[in-house]
């Protein structure tokens, strides 16, 4: 939910506390009887050959929301790094789609190009949506 600065004041919440509560809500929504739930499926139909990448979904929220807080991004990153068996790079061609790929995969630029041409970002000017993003101490960083 979007809340204005005034709305935060009416709730007696600082911006930082609201950010932390948002992270707690993501964790709560993804929690099940066996722990946190992440859904992944191989990215198979975007390139003519297999790609070491998965599309990620989470219950109750967009997977891209997990990149917005260092605590949730760290949890997601550790899980995907273990799943892929390599350092992870992220592609988010829209706010609804999150792709995690092996950061060293030679197919990564072709995958980025394909995603950029097949998805239209819903947020004008959202630069992260067309970039390869890496995890850096809990925060998303655009590859340079």
């Amino acid at each position: 939910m979007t809340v204005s600065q005034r709305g935060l004041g009416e709730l007696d919440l600082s911006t930082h506390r609201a950010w932390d509560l948002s992270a707690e809500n993501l964790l709560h929504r993804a929690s099940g009887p066996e722990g946190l739930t992440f859904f992944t499926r191989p990215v198979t139909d975007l390139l003519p050959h297999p790609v070491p990448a998965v599309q990620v979904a989470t219950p109750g929220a967009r997977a891209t929301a997990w990149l917005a807080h260092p605590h949730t991004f760290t949890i997601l990153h550790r899980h995907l790094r273990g799943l892929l068996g390599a350092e992870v790079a992220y592609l988010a061609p829209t706010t609804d789609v999150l792709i995690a790929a092996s950061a060293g995969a030679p197919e990564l630029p072709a995958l980025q190009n394909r995603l950029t041409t097949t998805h239209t970002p819903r947020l004008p000017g959202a630069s992260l949506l067309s970039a390869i993003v890496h995890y850096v101490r809990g925060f998303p960083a655009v590859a340079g």
Side-chain angles (χ1 to χ4, degrees), residues 32-129:
E34 308 221 358
L36 293 173
T37 301
F38 298 106
F39 303 110
T40 58
R41 66 178 176 186
V43 175
T44 57
D45 60 344
L46 294 174
L47 293 175
H49 45 79
V51 181
V54 293
Q55 183 175 354
V56 182
T58 58
R62 295 174 176 153
T64 54
W66 285 71
L67 279 62
H69 193 283
H71 184 61
T72 56
F73 193 14
T74 298
I75 291 169
L76 179 69
H77 181 71
R78 286 180 179 161
H79 173 73
L80 294 170
R81 190 176 58 199
L83 183 69
L84 292 171
E87 197 52 47
V88 180
Y90 299 89
L91 298 162
T94 72
T95 56
D96 296 324
V97 176
L98 180 63
I99 305 292
S102 173
E107 304 90 352
L108 191 56
L111 180 59
Q112 177 192 20
N113 185 50
R114 179 76 172 138
L115 288 168
T116 302
T117 59
T118 59
H119 291 80
T120 304
R122 293 188 181 168
L123 298 175
S127 61
L128 280 183
L129 297 178

